[in-house]
Tab-separated table of all heavy atoms in Angstrom:
chain	number	residue	atom	x	y	z
A	602	LEU	N	6.722	39.188	-3.637
A	602	LEU	CA	5.683	38.353	-2.918
A	602	LEU	C	6.009	36.903	-2.941
A	602	LEU	O	5.633	36.156	-2.039
A	602	LEU	CB	4.311	38.679	-3.548
A	602	LEU	CG	3.060	38.253	-2.813
A	602	LEU	CD1	3.082	38.867	-1.410
A	602	LEU	CD2	1.802	38.618	-3.588
A	603	VAL	N	6.730	36.432	-4.021
A	603	VAL	CA	7.089	35.042	-4.128
A	603	VAL	C	7.945	34.630	-2.960
A	603	VAL	O	7.667	33.607	-2.243
A	603	VAL	CB	7.740	34.712	-5.445
A	603	VAL	CG1	8.230	33.246	-5.480
A	603	VAL	CG2	6.815	34.929	-6.599
A	604	PRO	N	9.111	35.197	-2.703
A	604	PRO	CA	9.937	34.779	-1.570
A	604	PRO	C	9.254	35.030	-0.216
A	604	PRO	O	9.496	34.296	0.746
A	604	PRO	CB	11.178	35.660	-1.646
A	604	PRO	CG	10.822	36.841	-2.502
A	604	PRO	CD	9.828	36.332	-3.475
A	605	MET	N	8.381	36.059	-0.137
A	605	MET	CA	7.649	36.281	1.164
A	605	MET	C	6.738	35.118	1.430
A	605	MET	O	6.667	34.603	2.581
A	605	MET	CB	6.830	37.595	1.026
A	605	MET	CG	7.672	38.834	1.087
A	605	MET	SD	6.636	40.327	0.904
A	605	MET	CE	5.644	40.205	2.349
A	606	ILE	N	6.028	34.605	0.469
A	606	ILE	CA	5.083	33.476	0.665
A	606	ILE	C	5.874	32.209	0.933
A	606	ILE	O	5.567	31.472	1.877
A	606	ILE	CB	4.166	33.374	-0.563
A	606	ILE	CG1	3.237	34.494	-0.750
A	606	ILE	CG2	3.410	32.019	-0.519
A	606	ILE	CD1	2.443	34.514	-2.019
A	607	MET	N	6.950	31.985	0.152
A	607	MET	CA	7.692	30.735	0.325
A	607	MET	C	8.405	30.717	1.671
A	607	MET	O	8.471	29.665	2.315
A	607	MET	CB	8.721	30.580	-0.742
A	607	MET	CG	8.113	30.379	-2.167
A	607	MET	SD	7.111	28.927	-2.312
A	607	MET	CE	8.359	27.671	-2.315
A	608	SER	N	8.875	31.873	2.146
A	608	SER	CA	9.560	31.912	3.492
A	608	SER	C	8.528	31.776	4.614
A	608	SER	O	8.886	31.305	5.679
A	608	SER	CB	10.365	33.184	3.639
A	608	SER	OG	9.518	34.294	3.549
A	609	THR	N	7.283	32.142	4.335
A	609	THR	CA	6.226	32.066	5.360
A	609	THR	C	5.888	30.628	5.609
A	609	THR	O	5.717	30.182	6.742
A	609	THR	CB	4.978	32.846	4.919
A	609	THR	OG1	5.322	34.275	4.776
A	609	THR	CG2	3.822	32.696	5.932
A	610	PHE	N	5.766	29.804	4.554
A	610	PHE	CA	5.321	28.447	4.746
A	610	PHE	C	6.454	27.422	4.678
A	610	PHE	O	6.244	26.242	5.083
A	610	PHE	CB	4.369	28.093	3.571
A	610	PHE	CG	3.098	28.959	3.614
A	610	PHE	CD1	2.787	29.797	2.546
A	610	PHE	CD2	2.243	28.925	4.741
A	610	PHE	CE1	1.571	30.539	2.623
A	610	PHE	CE2	1.084	29.651	4.738
A	610	PHE	CZ	0.788	30.503	3.685
A	611	TYR	N	7.636	27.843	4.198
A	611	TYR	CA	8.761	26.923	4.236
A	611	TYR	C	10.005	27.531	4.927
A	611	TYR	O	9.971	27.717	6.092
A	611	TYR	CB	9.154	26.518	2.771
A	611	TYR	CG	7.920	25.936	2.043
A	611	TYR	CD1	7.180	26.563	1.113
A	611	TYR	CD2	7.466	24.605	2.407
A	611	TYR	CE1	6.070	26.008	0.547
A	611	TYR	CE2	6.383	24.022	1.801
A	611	TYR	CZ	5.662	24.754	0.886
A	611	TYR	OH	4.571	24.153	0.282
A	612	ASP	N	11.071	27.864	4.177
A	612	ASP	CA	12.182	28.442	4.831
A	612	ASP	C	12.819	29.457	3.876
A	612	ASP	O	12.408	29.579	2.724
A	612	ASP	CB	13.213	27.445	5.299
A	612	ASP	CG	13.731	26.622	4.210
A	612	ASP	OD1	13.915	27.121	3.104
A	612	ASP	OD2	14.011	25.375	4.417
A	613	THR	N	13.755	30.274	4.391
A	613	THR	CA	14.309	31.377	3.591
A	613	THR	C	15.100	30.961	2.426
A	613	THR	O	15.137	31.515	1.376
A	613	THR	CB	15.158	32.314	4.516
A	613	THR	OG1	16.135	31.436	5.188
A	613	THR	CG2	14.337	32.953	5.569
A	614	ARG	N	15.901	29.805	2.620
A	614	ARG	CA	16.744	29.311	1.500
A	614	ARG	C	15.877	28.836	0.371
A	614	ARG	O	16.083	29.097	-0.853
A	614	ARG	CB	17.688	28.194	1.960
A	614	ARG	CG	18.613	27.808	0.840
A	614	ARG	CD	19.538	26.663	1.338
A	614	ARG	NE	20.452	27.151	2.417
A	614	ARG	CZ	21.383	26.372	3.004
A	614	ARG	NH1	21.535	25.091	2.583
A	614	ARG	NH2	22.097	26.883	3.949
A	615	THR	N	14.825	28.113	0.671
A	615	THR	CA	13.899	27.636	-0.422
A	615	THR	C	13.224	28.841	-1.108
A	615	THR	O	12.995	28.834	-2.264
A	615	THR	CB	12.832	26.695	0.237
A	615	THR	OG1	13.446	25.607	0.851
A	615	THR	CG2	11.879	26.173	-0.901
A	616	ALA	N	12.898	29.849	-0.291
A	616	ALA	CA	12.282	31.049	-0.807
A	616	ALA	C	13.198	31.735	-1.795
A	616	ALA	O	12.803	32.239	-2.920
A	616	ALA	CB	11.931	31.968	0.325
A	617	LEU	N	14.529	31.803	-1.535
A	617	LEU	CA	15.482	32.425	-2.404
A	617	LEU	C	15.564	31.641	-3.722
A	617	LEU	O	15.597	32.283	-4.763
A	617	LEU	CB	16.840	32.547	-1.720
A	617	LEU	CG	17.899	33.187	-2.556
A	617	LEU	CD1	17.541	34.605	-2.912
A	617	LEU	CD2	19.211	33.194	-1.745
A	618	PHE	N	15.661	30.303	-3.629
A	618	PHE	CA	15.695	29.505	-4.881
A	618	PHE	C	14.457	29.654	-5.709
A	618	PHE	O	14.504	29.714	-6.947
A	618	PHE	CB	15.962	28.025	-4.498
A	618	PHE	CG	17.410	27.636	-4.361
A	618	PHE	CD1	18.081	27.895	-3.148
A	618	PHE	CD2	18.067	27.070	-5.397
A	618	PHE	CE1	19.386	27.512	-3.020
A	618	PHE	CE2	19.436	26.753	-5.318
A	618	PHE	CZ	20.123	26.978	-4.104
A	619	ALA	N	13.289	29.712	-5.084
A	619	ALA	CA	12.034	29.903	-5.802
A	619	ALA	C	12.009	31.275	-6.509
A	619	ALA	O	11.605	31.405	-7.661
A	619	ALA	CB	10.847	29.805	-4.880
A	620	HIS	N	12.535	32.277	-5.797
A	620	HIS	CA	12.570	33.653	-6.349
A	620	HIS	C	13.536	33.668	-7.572
A	620	HIS	O	13.249	34.289	-8.607
A	620	HIS	CB	13.031	34.626	-5.303
A	620	HIS	CG	13.110	36.058	-5.740
A	620	HIS	ND1	12.020	36.760	-6.213
A	620	HIS	CD2	14.179	36.878	-5.863
A	620	HIS	CE1	12.384	37.949	-6.543
A	620	HIS	NE2	13.667	38.075	-6.379
A	621	ILE	N	14.710	33.038	-7.442
A	621	ILE	CA	15.664	33.053	-8.561
A	621	ILE	C	15.079	32.342	-9.782
A	621	ILE	O	15.177	32.818	-10.909
A	621	ILE	CB	16.998	32.360	-8.098
A	621	ILE	CG1	17.706	33.195	-7.042
A	621	ILE	CG2	17.900	32.112	-9.339
A	621	ILE	CD1	18.906	32.513	-6.455
Side-chain angles (χ1 to χ4, degrees):
L602 196 55
V603 173
M605 288 177 64
I606 292 171
M607 295 298 289
S608 62
T609 297
F610 298 118
Y611 301 106
D612 59 36
T613 53
R614 185 179 296 182
T615 303
L617 180 59
F618 272 83
H620 181 62
I621 292 173

